[in-house]
């Protein structure tokens, strides 16, 4: 091994970076096979986790808070577990795990399951609910990781989502940019809805008729409805990036939704998804 290789190996070990010749295209990391657990009873600690798939600014923090008020459901802040990664530092580590039947994705799934299970056990409840909006982009992997997962799809008028997304960070994106950015999440949720079984809930109906809608959710989850769900109380984590932190959520009770936009107020880019979600004829 020449000195350049030694230096690069040391850099990778201590910094995670390496030196490459200028103009050389970096090799993309191999994509591991995504597959269900080989032995679900051994490989998974969680039982029937619930995933709330929704676009940004769709009322998911409200619904999370409502579900967390149920005695059997633990719905913490956004967890982003799909961003947790496992790395093999040496080829020997790769070979050792392959000999055990694990690839990189398998080990990541074990990690995700363990993190969520620990959080659930600490809560003392029976089922965990994860409502991270970006999970919609990884619905196939989540469904592979937990074959017994249950999915609740939360929809909201696309133009209302875009307006709220712009208002959340008006200096970060224009109204037009907010609409296009939020549309990415809407399309991801729609792909998940088309591929997975689950229950669809609308934010406007949840706000207007919280008891009826929460009873439907409880029936879907095979749980008894509890009146405490309608007054969910103070939330322990209200922080930007981990959910909605604004006054409506801080109130501790369900608040009315904003008035729906008129057809002429809907951006052109959002009209197709409005029709798909039956907000526009």
């Amino acid at each position: 091994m020449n000195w350049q290789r030694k230096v690069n190996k040391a850099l990778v070990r201590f910094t995670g970076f390496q030196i490459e010749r200028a103009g050389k295209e970096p090799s993309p990391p191999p994509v591991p096979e995504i597959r269900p657990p080989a032995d679900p009873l051994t490989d998974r600690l969680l039982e029937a986790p619930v995933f709330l798939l929704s676009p940004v600014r769709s009322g998911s923090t409200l619904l999370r808070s409502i579900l967390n008020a149920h005695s059997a459901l633990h719905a913490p802040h956004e967890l982003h577990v799909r961003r947790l990664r496992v790395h093999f530092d040496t080829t020997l580590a790769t070979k050792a795990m392959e000999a055990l039947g694990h690839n990189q994705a398998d080990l990541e799934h074990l990690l995700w399951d363990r993190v969520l299970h620990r959080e659930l056990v600490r809560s003392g409840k029976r089922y965990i609910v994860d409502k991270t909006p970006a999970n919609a982009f990884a619905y196939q992997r989540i469904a592979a990781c937990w074959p017994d997962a249950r999915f609740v799809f939360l929809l909201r008028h696309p133009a209302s989502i875009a307006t709220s997304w712009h208002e959340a960070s008006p200096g970060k994106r224009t109204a037009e940019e907010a609409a296009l950015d939020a549309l990415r999440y809407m399309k991801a949720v729609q792909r998940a809805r088309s591929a997975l079984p689950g229950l669809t809930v609308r934010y406007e109906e949840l706000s207007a008729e919280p008891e009826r809608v929460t009873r439907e959710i409880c029936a879907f989850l095979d749980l008894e409805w509890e009146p405490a769900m309608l007054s969910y109380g103070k939330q322990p984590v209200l922080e930007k990036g981990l959910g909605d932190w604004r006054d409506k959520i801080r109130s501790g009770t369900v608040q009315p939704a904003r008035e729906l936009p008129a057809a002429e107020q809907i951006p052109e880019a959002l009209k197709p998804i409005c029709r798909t979600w039956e907000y526009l004829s």
Side-chain angles (χ1 to χ4, degrees):
M1 179 183 290
N2 59 31
W3 69 269
Q4 292 99 330
R5 288 184 177 178
K6 291 182 179 179
V7 170
N8 245 344
K9 187 175 181 180
L11 277 172
V12 170
R13 180 180 301 169
F14 294 108
T15 70
F17 298 98
Q18 64 180 353
I19 298 172
E20 293 190 351
R21 188 183 302 275
K24 181 181 178 182
E25 289 292 330
S27 300
V31 178
E33 180 186 357
I34 306 302
R35 54 198 182 190
D39 184 355
L41 293 179
T42 301
D43 296 345
R44 295 295 176 268
L45 299 177
L46 283 181
E47 174 192 358
V50 180
F51 289 90
L52 174 55
L53 299 186
S54 68
V56 292
R57 312 306 300 179
S58 59
S60 60
T61 300
L62 170 64
L63 184 51
R64 173 192 76 78
S65 303
I66 290 171
L67 296 179
N68 191 53
H70 194 286
S71 62
L73 299 174
H74 178 51
H77 60 80
E78 295 172 15
L79 297 174
H80 301 276
V81 291
R82 79 181 186 92
R83 295 299 189 185
L84 302 181
R85 295 286 182 256
V86 170
H87 296 285
F88 298 131
D89 283 345
T90 67
T91 55
L92 285 176
T94 303
K95 290 180 180 179
M97 291 300 100
E98 287 176 348
L100 294 179
H102 303 311
N103 65 17
Q104 178 184 340
D106 297 332
L107 294 176
E108 288 174 351
H109 291 172
L110 288 171
L111 173 61
W112 298 357
D113 184 74
R114 184 65 181 86
V115 169
L116 292 183
H117 182 262
R118 178 182 184 274
E119 177 63 22
L120 179 62
V121 170
R122 284 163 57 89
S123 75
K125 296 187 177 183
R126 184 176 179 185
Y127 300 113
I128 197 161
V129 180
D130 186 357
K131 74 88 167 178
T132 309
N135 281 344
F137 295 105
Y139 72 88
Q140 293 168 308
R141 187 162 183 185
I142 289 171
C145 179
W146 292 283
D148 63 343
R150 294 170 292 176
F151 297 93
V152 176
F153 306 104
L154 178 63
L155 308 185
R156 185 183 184 185
H157 194 298
S160 297
I161 291 174
T163 298
S164 182
W165 192 222
H166 173 58
E167 291 173 351
S169 299
K172 186 175 180 179
R173 56 183 77 87
T174 65
E176 293 75 15
E177 291 168 341
L180 293 176
D181 191 36
L183 182 58
R184 296 187 304 113
Y185 288 86
M186 299 178 215
K187 289 181 176 180
V189 170
Q190 183 55 33
R191 288 192 293 269
R193 287 183 71 215
S194 300
L196 299 173
L199 175 70
T200 295
V201 173
R202 295 181 185 272
Y203 170 70
E204 294 83 5
E205 294 179 0
L206 176 65
S207 298
E209 301 177 85
E211 181 173 339
R212 177 184 65 80
V213 174
T214 52
R215 283 184 180 275
E216 290 178 0
I217 296 172
C218 286
F220 171 70
L221 299 178
D222 198 22
L223 296 172
E224 292 290 330
W225 181 78
E226 296 179 358
M229 300 174 73
L230 302 185
S231 296
Y232 55 83
K234 183 178 180 182
Q235 297 301 294
V237 177
L238 290 171
E239 182 179 337
K240 190 173 183 179
L242 300 179
D244 194 340
W245 68 101
R246 299 193 299 178
D247 289 342
K248 276 191 174 183
I249 297 298
R250 294 180 187 276
S251 69
T253 57
V254 180
Q255 301 294 307
R258 74 171 71 206
E259 187 174 339
L260 291 182
E264 60 271 16
Q265 296 175 304
I266 302 173
E268 285 296 323
L270 298 182
K271 287 184 177 179
I273 195 71
C274 284
R275 294 188 182 97
T276 299
W277 287 358
E278 300 179 347
Y279 285 102
L280 188 63
S281 58

